[in-house]
Amino acid sequence: SASIKKRVMSFYEKHDPDKIEEVPKIMAKYYGDYPKLLKRLERKYQDYGYFLEWEQDEAPMTLAFEQLAETRDYLGTQFQTYAPQPVKTAVRNVQYNVGKLKKKGRKIFKKKVWPLLEPIFGVPEGAAAQKRKDAKAARDRKNKASGTGRRRKNTEFRDDVEDESTGHDEH
């Protein structure tokens, strides 16, 4: 990549300027295994840390996702500012309905389709026992969270509840 080549070039400028012409050949030799090249260079020239965070130099996907988020935010602002109310309502309804369909589709896939595909794709050894264990843990968490099925009244800030420290009503 361009960023690693720049780093290697600057590294050789600092440590061994005579080898700058050989950088393309060195890069070709270590193509796809740049971490190995970087470790060897650091060890040979005793300059550890020169290549720290080289993966983030020109991380194209990070930059692309940031630009995508900025564009989405800008378009959302423009839409909210200039779109007529019936269009806003229609978009909100479409988002709601698509979300609902996605949930139903996932549920149908999990209950109806996956049991048919599971034998074809196979399951790792011990996965069935782990699956049962996870399902039981989820049920236990759900039951613990719901308790008796009814929410308890929050008595923390109520005046009509007996004060435990004095043992009498505060009226």
Side-chain angles (χ1 to χ4, degrees):
S1 83
S3 64
I4 190 67
K5 186 175 181 181
K6 288 178 191 172
R7 283 259 189 141
V8 171
M9 292 280 279
S10 69
F11 187 84
Y12 274 120
E13 284 174 6
K14 179 180 176 184
H15 294 286
D16 196 355
D18 298 336
K19 287 201 172 182
I20 290 179
E21 294 84 35
E22 295 179 34
V23 168
K25 192 169 86 174
I26 293 169
M27 297 293 291
K29 180 180 175 185
Y30 287 96
Y31 182 79
D33 197 10
Y34 295 132
K36 186 176 182 181
L37 167 66
L38 303 181
K39 282 181 186 174
R40 286 190 173 175
L41 288 174
E42 286 178 338
R43 191 177 312 124
K44 181 176 181 182
Y45 294 99
Q46 296 295 307
D47 188 359
Y48 297 98
Y50 189 85
F51 295 104
L52 282 177
E53 298 181 4
W54 63 271
E55 301 96 341
Q56 282 80 33
D57 277 358
E58 295 174 15
M61 289 307 292
T62 304
L63 184 62
F65 283 127
E66 287 173 2
Q67 290 175 341
L68 189 63
E70 286 176 20
T71 304
R72 184 195 66 225
D73 294 342
Y74 172 75
L75 289 175
T77 304
Q78 294 298 309
F79 178 79
Q80 289 299 327
T81 305
Y82 298 110
Q85 191 57 47
V87 173
K88 291 180 187 177
T89 303
V91 167
R92 191 175 60 243
N93 290 343
V94 167
Q95 288 174 334
Y96 174 80
N97 290 331
V98 167
K100 205 80 153 149
L101 285 173
K102 184 178 171 187
K103 285 180 184 176
K104 282 188 177 191
R106 184 179 291 144
K107 192 174 184 180
I108 289 171
F109 180 83
K110 198 172 175 183
K111 298 247 186 225
K112 304 278 185 191
V113 178
W114 180 244
L116 300 174
L117 296 176
E118 196 172 26
I120 296 168
F121 290 114
V123 179
E125 290 296 319
Q130 184 64 41
K131 190 175 177 183
R132 286 191 300 273
K133 185 177 172 186
D134 291 345
K136 184 181 182 323
R139 277 193 311 273
D140 291 345
R141 273 195 314 272
K142 186 177 179 184
N143 291 339
K144 183 180 176 187
S146 65
T148 61
R150 291 182 49 139
R151 284 182 54 198
R152 288 187 1 218
K153 289 184 180 177
N154 185 358
T155 58
E156 190 174 336
F157 298 107
R158 292 180 50 189
D159 291 334
D160 61 342
V161 175
E162 190 174 298
D163 186 13
E164 283 87 21
S165 62
T166 60
H168 63 282
D169 273 346
E170 292 184 20
H171 287 352

